[in-house]
Amino acid sequence: MVPAGGYLADADGFLYEPTGQAVIIDGRHASIESTNAEARQYAERGSAVFTTWLPA
């Protein structure tokens, strides 16, 4: 595991709390890639509904 912001990330980029618990967003295990995609959408559309979610 490596530090990724306030979380930890495994070799595949999936995020975990510092306690080791998986980060779950919208019922899916969050990854660096998926959270970056949502951040890009937010930057482009503001608070519009997010439509990008990368499959696990």
Side-chain angles (χ1 to χ4, degrees):
M1 299 272 207
V2 295
Y7 299 101
L8 298 172
D10 65 14
D12 295 320
F14 289 99
L15 298 174
Y16 297 86
E17 298 283 348
T19 60
Q21 184 175 358
V23 175
I24 306 297
I25 300 175
D26 294 333
R28 295 179 177 228
H29 192 169
S31 69
I32 293 171
E33 192 174 352
S34 66
T35 55
N36 285 346
E38 285 199 18
R40 276 192 305 277
Q41 273 195 331
Y42 183 81
E44 293 169 1
R45 299 184 188 181
S47 61
V49 175
F50 296 120
T51 58
T52 301
W53 187 265
L54 303 172

